[in-house]
Amino acid sequence: MRPHLVRLAVVVLLGSRLLVAQSQPPVPVLEQHVMDFTNSLTYNEWRSLEDRLRRVKDTTSIHIAIVVIDRVAEQTLQEYAASVFGQNRLGKKSGEPGILIVVAAAQQQAAIELGPGLENIVTRETADIIVEKEILPLLKQDNLYGGLAGGVLAMTAGVVGQYEGTSAPSGAMMYLWIVGGVLIAALVVFLIARKKSLPAESGEEKGSK
């Protein structure tokens, strides 16, 4: 091979490796409960999630953290979540169980990493269900905050034993149930009121005869 072609091949190889390295997100230091490296959340959204996770930690002694990145390249999001969890020793410093929710916003992917001590509280299956039912549907609607808020709500229910997994309704299904319940209640009230008015109407007709 000619020298200039060798040099070109080396440049292309180094350039491709540099692009991959730049696209791989670094493992962050978790200084807050919510770390948004895409600046997708508004301050009020970030503050709401941060305050909620602080309350979860105060009431349940379980440390839940959220990391939002743009994308992953050479590894899966679950592998990246495991790296972040491990290097930050989430929960180990305080002796509290830890849970990490990671979202790759540009790829509309989510993963949950569970720390030791949660085996009898939140299972791997429950975490996967929460990702599939509570987080991903809203991510695919470009509603990052809604997905994270739903995931935190479901995970909070999980740590206190109130999330029922596959039998738990999703946000959309819950909305339909509420609307259906209101309509049924309104119909029942209407029928009761109509039934009460029928005798009076019959009496008036008899009197007129």
Side-chain angles (χ1 to χ4, degrees), residues 90-122:
L90 188 61
K92 290 184 179 180
K93 297 178 181 179
S94 58
E96 301 166 338
I99 298 172
L100 177 64
I101 301 174
V102 180
V103 169
Q107 296 170 315
Q108 295 181 332
Q109 296 179 7
I112 295 178
E113 185 68 17
L114 302 172
L118 291 169
E119 294 82 1
N120 297 323
I121 303 175
V122 180

PDB file of all heavy atoms in Angstrom, residues 90-122:
ATOM      1  N   LEU A  90     -23.924   4.165  44.540  1.00  0.00           N
ATOM      2  CA  LEU A  90     -25.210   4.733  44.930  1.00  0.00           C
ATOM      3  C   LEU A  90     -25.804   3.987  46.115  1.00  0.00           C
ATOM      4  O   LEU A  90     -26.065   2.792  46.052  1.00  0.00           O
ATOM      5  CB  LEU A  90     -26.175   4.677  43.740  1.00  0.00           C
ATOM      6  CG  LEU A  90     -27.509   5.408  43.908  1.00  0.00           C
ATOM      7  CD1 LEU A  90     -27.273   6.893  44.131  1.00  0.00           C
ATOM      8  CD2 LEU A  90     -28.384   5.196  42.671  1.00  0.00           C
ATOM      9  N   GLY A  91     -26.033   4.709  47.181  1.00  0.00           N
ATOM     10  CA  GLY A  91     -26.629   4.136  48.377  1.00  0.00           C
ATOM     11  C   GLY A  91     -25.647   3.487  49.320  1.00  0.00           C
ATOM     12  O   GLY A  91     -25.919   3.347  50.512  1.00  0.00           O
ATOM     13  N   LYS A  92     -24.468   3.063  48.811  1.00  0.00           N
ATOM     14  CA  LYS A  92     -23.516   2.335  49.651  1.00  0.00           C
ATOM     15  C   LYS A  92     -22.885   3.226  50.713  1.00  0.00           C
ATOM     16  O   LYS A  92     -22.585   2.787  51.813  1.00  0.00           O
ATOM     17  CB  LYS A  92     -22.430   1.701  48.786  1.00  0.00           C
ATOM     18  CG  LYS A  92     -22.924   0.537  47.939  1.00  0.00           C
ATOM     19  CD  LYS A  92     -21.785  -0.119  47.181  1.00  0.00           C
ATOM     20  CE  LYS A  92     -22.277  -1.298  46.366  1.00  0.00           C
ATOM     21  NZ  LYS A  92     -21.173  -1.946  45.614  1.00  0.00           N
ATOM     22  N   LYS A  93     -22.655   4.496  50.359  1.00  0.00           N
ATOM     23  CA  LYS A  93     -22.014   5.395  51.309  1.00  0.00           C
ATOM     24  C   LYS A  93     -22.867   5.600  52.553  1.00  0.00           C
ATOM     25  O   LYS A  93     -22.355   5.729  53.655  1.00  0.00           O
ATOM     26  CB  LYS A  93     -21.727   6.740  50.634  1.00  0.00           C
ATOM     27  CG  LYS A  93     -20.739   6.640  49.470  1.00  0.00           C
ATOM     28  CD  LYS A  93     -20.547   7.991  48.811  1.00  0.00           C
ATOM     29  CE  LYS A  93     -19.591   7.897  47.629  1.00  0.00           C
ATOM     30  NZ  LYS A  93     -19.407   9.204  46.949  1.00  0.00           N
ATOM     31  N   SER A  94     -24.183   5.646  52.361  1.00  0.00           N
ATOM     32  CA  SER A  94     -25.084   5.873  53.494  1.00  0.00           C
ATOM     33  C   SER A  94     -25.681   4.587  54.022  1.00  0.00           C
ATOM     34  O   SER A  94     -26.422   4.604  55.000  1.00  0.00           O
ATOM     35  CB  SER A  94     -26.213   6.828  53.060  1.00  0.00           C
ATOM     36  OG  SER A  94     -26.913   6.292  51.964  1.00  0.00           O
ATOM     37  N   GLY A  95     -25.381   3.471  53.350  1.00  0.00           N
ATOM     38  CA  GLY A  95     -25.944   2.198  53.770  1.00  0.00           C
ATOM     39  C   GLY A  95     -27.390   2.021  53.380  1.00  0.00           C
ATOM     40  O   GLY A  95     -28.068   1.122  53.881  1.00  0.00           O
ATOM     41  N   GLU A  96     -27.897   2.872  52.462  1.00  0.00           N
ATOM     42  CA  GLU A  96     -29.292   2.801  52.030  1.00  0.00           C
ATOM     43  C   GLU A  96     -29.375   2.139  50.657  1.00  0.00           C
ATOM     44  O   GLU A  96     -28.488   2.298  49.836  1.00  0.00           O
ATOM     45  CB  GLU A  96     -29.898   4.209  51.963  1.00  0.00           C
ATOM     46  CG  GLU A  96     -29.868   4.942  53.290  1.00  0.00           C
ATOM     47  CD  GLU A  96     -30.141   6.425  53.137  1.00  0.00           C
ATOM     48  OE1 GLU A  96     -29.944   6.937  52.014  1.00  0.00           O
ATOM     49  OE2 GLU A  96     -30.552   7.057  54.117  1.00  0.00           O
ATOM     50  N   PRO A  97     -30.448   1.396  50.376  1.00  0.00           N
ATOM     51  CA  PRO A  97     -30.617   0.825  49.037  1.00  0.00           C
ATOM     52  C   PRO A  97     -30.716   1.925  47.986  1.00  0.00           C
ATOM     53  O   PRO A  97     -31.250   3.007  48.252  1.00  0.00           O
ATOM     54  CB  PRO A  97     -31.945   0.054  49.149  1.00  0.00           C
ATOM     55  CG  PRO A  97     -32.149  -0.161  50.612  1.00  0.00           C
ATOM     56  CD  PRO A  97     -31.533   1.028  51.289  1.00  0.00           C
ATOM     57  N   GLY A  98     -30.189   1.648  46.800  1.00  0.00           N
ATOM     58  CA  GLY A  98     -30.186   2.650  45.747  1.00  0.00           C
ATOM     59  C   GLY A  98     -30.895   2.177  44.490  1.00  0.00           C
ATOM     60  O   GLY A  98     -30.870   0.990  44.154  1.00  0.00           O
ATOM     61  N   ILE A  99     -31.522   3.125  43.790  1.00  0.00           N
ATOM     62  CA  ILE A  99     -32.188   2.864  42.514  1.00  0.00           C
ATOM     63  C   ILE A  99     -31.791   3.975  41.555  1.00  0.00           C
ATOM     64  O   ILE A  99     -31.837   5.159  41.917  1.00  0.00           O
ATOM     65  CB  ILE A  99     -33.717   2.822  42.662  1.00  0.00           C
ATOM     66  CG1 ILE A  99     -34.148   1.689  43.597  1.00  0.00           C
ATOM     67  CG2 ILE A  99     -34.394   2.673  41.295  1.00  0.00           C
ATOM     68  CD1 ILE A  99     -35.632   1.713  43.933  1.00  0.00           C
ATOM     69  N   LEU A 100     -31.398   3.613  40.339  1.00  0.00           N
ATOM     70  CA  LEU A 100     -30.994   4.599  39.346  1.00  0.00           C
ATOM     71  C   LEU A 100     -31.873   4.473  38.108  1.00  0.00           C
ATOM     72  O   LEU A 100     -31.995   3.397  37.528  1.00  0.00           O
ATOM     73  CB  LEU A 100     -29.525   4.405  38.956  1.00  0.00           C
ATOM     74  CG  LEU A 100     -28.984   5.339  37.866  1.00  0.00           C
ATOM     75  CD1 LEU A 100     -28.999   6.786  38.333  1.00  0.00           C
ATOM     76  CD2 LEU A 100     -27.574   4.925  37.453  1.00  0.00           C
ATOM     77  N   ILE A 101     -32.491   5.587  37.703  1.00  0.00           N
ATOM     78  CA  ILE A 101     -33.268   5.659  36.467  1.00  0.00           C
ATOM     79  C   ILE A 101     -32.457   6.458  35.456  1.00  0.00           C
ATOM     80  O   ILE A 101     -32.102   7.611  35.718  1.00  0.00           O
ATOM     81  CB  ILE A 101     -34.635   6.333  36.689  1.00  0.00           C
ATOM     82  CG1 ILE A 101     -35.449   5.568  37.743  1.00  0.00           C
ATOM     83  CG2 ILE A 101     -35.409   6.425  35.380  1.00  0.00           C
ATOM     84  CD1 ILE A 101     -36.754   6.259  38.137  1.00  0.00           C
ATOM     85  N   VAL A 102     -32.139   5.844  34.316  1.00  0.00           N
ATOM     86  CA  VAL A 102     -31.354   6.519  33.280  1.00  0.00           C
ATOM     87  C   VAL A 102     -32.190   6.608  32.006  1.00  0.00           C
ATOM     88  O   VAL A 102     -32.805   5.619  31.588  1.00  0.00           O
ATOM     89  CB  VAL A 102     -30.034   5.775  32.982  1.00  0.00           C
ATOM     90  CG1 VAL A 102     -29.250   6.499  31.892  1.00  0.00           C
ATOM     91  CG2 VAL A 102     -29.188   5.672  34.247  1.00  0.00           C
ATOM     92  N   VAL A 103     -32.189   7.790  31.399  1.00  0.00           N
ATOM     93  CA  VAL A 103     -32.917   8.005  30.149  1.00  0.00           C
ATOM     94  C   VAL A 103     -31.960   8.545  29.097  1.00  0.00           C
ATOM     95  O   VAL A 103     -31.214   9.487  29.362  1.00  0.00           O
ATOM     96  CB  VAL A 103     -34.086   8.995  30.352  1.00  0.00           C
ATOM     97  CG1 VAL A 103     -34.661   9.427  29.000  1.00  0.00           C
ATOM     98  CG2 VAL A 103     -35.180   8.365  31.200  1.00  0.00           C
ATOM     99  N   ALA A 104     -31.963   7.928  27.924  1.00  0.00           N
ATOM    100  CA  ALA A 104     -31.256   8.459  26.756  1.00  0.00           C
ATOM    101  C   ALA A 104     -32.305   9.173  25.913  1.00  0.00           C
ATOM    102  O   ALA A 104     -33.051   8.535  25.158  1.00  0.00           O
ATOM    103  CB  ALA A 104     -30.586   7.336  25.970  1.00  0.00           C
ATOM    104  N   ALA A 105     -32.386  10.493  26.057  1.00  0.00           N
ATOM    105  CA  ALA A 105     -33.503  11.255  25.503  1.00  0.00           C
ATOM    106  C   ALA A 105     -33.585  11.163  23.979  1.00  0.00           C
ATOM    107  O   ALA A 105     -34.665  10.966  23.419  1.00  0.00           O
ATOM    108  CB  ALA A 105     -33.394  12.711  25.943  1.00  0.00           C
ATOM    109  N   ALA A 106     -32.456  11.317  23.293  1.00  0.00           N
ATOM    110  CA  ALA A 106     -32.467  11.309  21.834  1.00  0.00           C
ATOM    111  C   ALA A 106     -32.869   9.944  21.269  1.00  0.00           C
ATOM    112  O   ALA A 106     -33.430   9.851  20.182  1.00  0.00           O
ATOM    113  CB  ALA A 106     -31.103  11.711  21.297  1.00  0.00           C
ATOM    114  N   GLN A 107     -32.573   8.887  22.009  1.00  0.00           N
ATOM    115  CA  GLN A 107     -32.900   7.532  21.561  1.00  0.00           C
ATOM    116  C   GLN A 107     -34.222   7.028  22.125  1.00  0.00           C
ATOM    117  O   GLN A 107     -34.653   5.917  21.799  1.00  0.00           O
ATOM    118  CB  GLN A 107     -31.773   6.571  21.966  1.00  0.00           C
ATOM    119  CG  GLN A 107     -30.450   6.894  21.280  1.00  0.00           C
ATOM    120  CD  GLN A 107     -29.290   6.104  21.857  1.00  0.00           C
ATOM    121  OE1 GLN A 107     -29.157   5.984  23.076  1.00  0.00           O
ATOM    122  NE2 GLN A 107     -28.454   5.564  20.988  1.00  0.00           N
ATOM    123  N   GLN A 108     -34.840   7.830  22.995  1.00  0.00           N
ATOM    124  CA  GLN A 108     -36.106   7.469  23.632  1.00  0.00           C
ATOM    125  C   GLN A 108     -36.016   6.096  24.296  1.00  0.00           C
ATOM    126  O   GLN A 108     -36.862   5.226  24.118  1.00  0.00           O
ATOM    127  CB  GLN A 108     -37.249   7.507  22.613  1.00  0.00           C
ATOM    128  CG  GLN A 108     -37.513   8.905  22.065  1.00  0.00           C
ATOM    129  CD  GLN A 108     -38.658   8.961  21.087  1.00  0.00           C
ATOM    130  OE1 GLN A 108     -38.964   7.990  20.409  1.00  0.00           O
ATOM    131  NE2 GLN A 108     -39.318  10.106  20.999  1.00  0.00           N
ATOM    132  N   GLN A 109     -34.945   5.927  25.070  1.00  0.00           N
ATOM    133  CA  GLN A 109     -34.716   4.685  25.802  1.00  0.00           C
ATOM    134  C   GLN A 109     -34.624   4.987  27.298  1.00  0.00           C
ATOM    135  O   GLN A 109     -34.276   6.100  27.693  1.00  0.00           O
ATOM    136  CB  GLN A 109     -33.423   4.010  25.346  1.00  0.00           C
ATOM    137  CG  GLN A 109     -33.420   3.550  23.896  1.00  0.00           C
ATOM    138  CD  GLN A 109     -32.107   2.920  23.500  1.00  0.00           C
ATOM    139  OE1 GLN A 109     -31.237   2.703  24.327  1.00  0.00           O
ATOM    140  NE2 GLN A 109     -31.958   2.619  22.219  1.00  0.00           N
ATOM    141  N   ALA A 110     -34.924   3.992  28.103  1.00  0.00           N
ATOM    142  CA  ALA A 110     -34.834   4.133  29.558  1.00  0.00           C
ATOM    143  C   ALA A 110     -34.381   2.820  30.160  1.00  0.00           C
ATOM    144  O   ALA A 110     -34.615   1.745  29.611  1.00  0.00           O
ATOM    145  CB  ALA A 110     -36.178   4.550  30.149  1.00  0.00           C
ATOM    146  N   ALA A 111     -33.706   2.919  31.292  1.00  0.00           N
ATOM    147  CA  ALA A 111     -33.241   1.737  32.015  1.00  0.00           C
ATOM    148  C   ALA A 111     -33.260   2.036  33.504  1.00  0.00           C
ATOM    149  O   ALA A 111     -33.081   3.188  33.918  1.00  0.00           O
ATOM    150  CB  ALA A 111     -31.829   1.341  31.570  1.00  0.00           C
ATOM    151  N   ILE A 112     -33.483   1.006  34.292  1.00  0.00           N
ATOM    152  CA  ILE A 112     -33.473   1.137  35.754  1.00  0.00           C
ATOM    153  C   ILE A 112     -32.459   0.150  36.314  1.00  0.00           C
ATOM    154  O   ILE A 112     -32.497  -1.041  35.997  1.00  0.00           O
ATOM    155  CB  ILE A 112     -34.856   0.870  36.355  1.00  0.00           C
ATOM    156  CG1 ILE A 112     -35.854   1.945  35.905  1.00  0.00           C
ATOM    157  CG2 ILE A 112     -34.784   0.835  37.892  1.00  0.00           C
ATOM    158  CD1 ILE A 112     -37.268   1.725  36.417  1.00  0.00           C
ATOM    159  N   GLU A 113     -31.551   0.653  37.147  1.00  0.00           N
ATOM    160  CA  GLU A 113     -30.568  -0.190  37.815  1.00  0.00           C
ATOM    161  C   GLU A 113     -30.935  -0.275  39.293  1.00  0.00           C
ATOM    162  O   GLU A 113     -31.167   0.748  39.955  1.00  0.00           O
ATOM    163  CB  GLU A 113     -29.163   0.398  37.647  1.00  0.00           C
ATOM    164  CG  GLU A 113     -28.048  -0.468  38.199  1.00  0.00           C
ATOM    165  CD  GLU A 113     -27.834  -1.753  37.426  1.00  0.00           C
ATOM    166  OE1 GLU A 113     -28.324  -1.859  36.273  1.00  0.00           O
ATOM    167  OE2 GLU A 113     -27.186  -2.669  37.965  1.00  0.00           O
ATOM    168  N   LEU A 114     -30.993  -1.512  39.801  1.00  0.00           N
ATOM    169  CA  LEU A 114     -31.375  -1.746  41.189  1.00  0.00           C
ATOM    170  C   LEU A 114     -30.161  -2.149  42.005  1.00  0.00           C
ATOM    171  O   LEU A 114     -29.372  -2.995  41.584  1.00  0.00           O
ATOM    172  CB  LEU A 114     -32.432  -2.851  41.270  1.00  0.00           C
ATOM    173  CG  LEU A 114     -33.728  -2.614  40.484  1.00  0.00           C
ATOM    174  CD1 LEU A 114     -34.581  -3.871  40.516  1.00  0.00           C
ATOM    175  CD2 LEU A 114     -34.493  -1.432  41.058  1.00  0.00           C
ATOM    176  N   GLY A 115     -30.021  -1.562  43.177  1.00  0.00           N
ATOM    177  CA  GLY A 115     -28.919  -1.896  44.055  1.00  0.00           C
ATOM    178  C   GLY A 115     -29.248  -3.070  44.963  1.00  0.00           C
ATOM    179  O   GLY A 115     -30.397  -3.526  45.036  1.00  0.00           O
ATOM    180  N   PRO A 116     -28.255  -3.587  45.659  1.00  0.00           N
ATOM    181  CA  PRO A 116     -28.490  -4.693  46.600  1.00  0.00           C
ATOM    182  C   PRO A 116     -29.383  -4.254  47.755  1.00  0.00           C
ATOM    183  O   PRO A 116     -29.421  -3.081  48.119  1.00  0.00           O
ATOM    184  CB  PRO A 116     -27.072  -5.035  47.085  1.00  0.00           C
ATOM    185  CG  PRO A 116     -26.262  -3.803  46.841  1.00  0.00           C
ATOM    186  CD  PRO A 116     -26.843  -3.163  45.629  1.00  0.00           C
ATOM    187  N   GLY A 117     -30.084  -5.224  48.315  1.00  0.00           N
ATOM    188  CA  GLY A 117     -30.977  -4.932  49.428  1.00  0.00           C
ATOM    189  C   GLY A 117     -32.410  -4.685  49.001  1.00  0.00           C
ATOM    190  O   GLY A 117     -33.285  -4.443  49.839  1.00  0.00           O
ATOM    191  N   LEU A 118     -32.660  -4.722  47.669  1.00  0.00           N
ATOM    192  CA  LEU A 118     -34.010  -4.463  47.167  1.00  0.00           C
ATOM    193  C   LEU A 118     -34.696  -5.729  46.655  1.00  0.00           C
ATOM    194  O   LEU A 118     -35.788  -5.656  46.104  1.00  0.00           O
ATOM    195  CB  LEU A 118     -33.959  -3.432  46.034  1.00  0.00           C
ATOM    196  CG  LEU A 118     -33.575  -2.013  46.435  1.00  0.00           C
ATOM    197  CD1 LEU A 118     -33.308  -1.168  45.196  1.00  0.00           C
ATOM    198  CD2 LEU A 118     -34.678  -1.368  47.264  1.00  0.00           C
ATOM    199  N   GLU A 119     -34.039  -6.886  46.832  1.00  0.00           N
ATOM    200  CA  GLU A 119     -34.547  -8.128  46.253  1.00  0.00           C
ATOM    201  C   GLU A 119     -35.978  -8.435  46.687  1.00  0.00           C
ATOM    202  O   GLU A 119     -36.782  -8.936  45.894  1.00  0.00           O
ATOM    203  CB  GLU A 119     -33.633  -9.301  46.624  1.00  0.00           C
ATOM    204  CG  GLU A 119     -32.236  -9.223  46.010  1.00  0.00           C
ATOM    205  CD  GLU A 119     -31.298  -8.320  46.793  1.00  0.00           C
ATOM    206  OE1 GLU A 119     -31.733  -7.770  47.838  1.00  0.00           O
ATOM    207  OE2 GLU A 119     -30.142  -8.161  46.374  1.00  0.00           O
ATOM    208  N   ASN A 120     -36.301  -8.139  47.938  1.00  0.00           N
ATOM    209  CA  ASN A 120     -37.631  -8.439  48.450  1.00  0.00           C
ATOM    210  C   ASN A 120     -38.553  -7.225  48.412  1.00  0.00           C
ATOM    211  O   ASN A 120     -39.657  -7.260  48.958  1.00  0.00           O
ATOM    212  CB  ASN A 120     -37.545  -8.963  49.890  1.00  0.00           C
ATOM    213  CG  ASN A 120     -36.771 -10.266  49.980  1.00  0.00           C
ATOM    214  OD1 ASN A 120     -36.869 -11.115  49.100  1.00  0.00           O
ATOM    215  ND2 ASN A 120     -35.985 -10.420  51.041  1.00  0.00           N
ATOM    216  N   ILE A 121     -38.105  -6.140  47.759  1.00  0.00           N
ATOM    217  CA  ILE A 121     -38.897  -4.911  47.704  1.00  0.00           C
ATOM    218  C   ILE A 121     -39.313  -4.615  46.267  1.00  0.00           C
ATOM    219  O   ILE A 121     -40.493  -4.536  45.951  1.00  0.00           O
ATOM    220  CB  ILE A 121     -38.104  -3.726  48.287  1.00  0.00           C
ATOM    221  CG1 ILE A 121     -37.678  -4.033  49.730  1.00  0.00           C
ATOM    222  CG2 ILE A 121     -38.937  -2.450  48.244  1.00  0.00           C
ATOM    223  CD1 ILE A 121     -36.793  -2.986  50.343  1.00  0.00           C
ATOM    224  N   VAL A 122     -38.324  -4.429  45.395  1.00  0.00           N
ATOM    225  CA  VAL A 122     -38.581  -4.172  43.973  1.00  0.00           C
ATOM    226  C   VAL A 122     -37.785  -5.190  43.160  1.00  0.00           C
ATOM    227  O   VAL A 122     -36.558  -5.227  43.238  1.00  0.00           O
ATOM    228  CB  VAL A 122     -38.171  -2.744  43.572  1.00  0.00           C
ATOM    229  CG1 VAL A 122     -38.462  -2.510  42.092  1.00  0.00           C
ATOM    230  CG2 VAL A 122     -38.904  -1.709  44.409  1.00  0.00           C
TER     231      VAL A 122
END
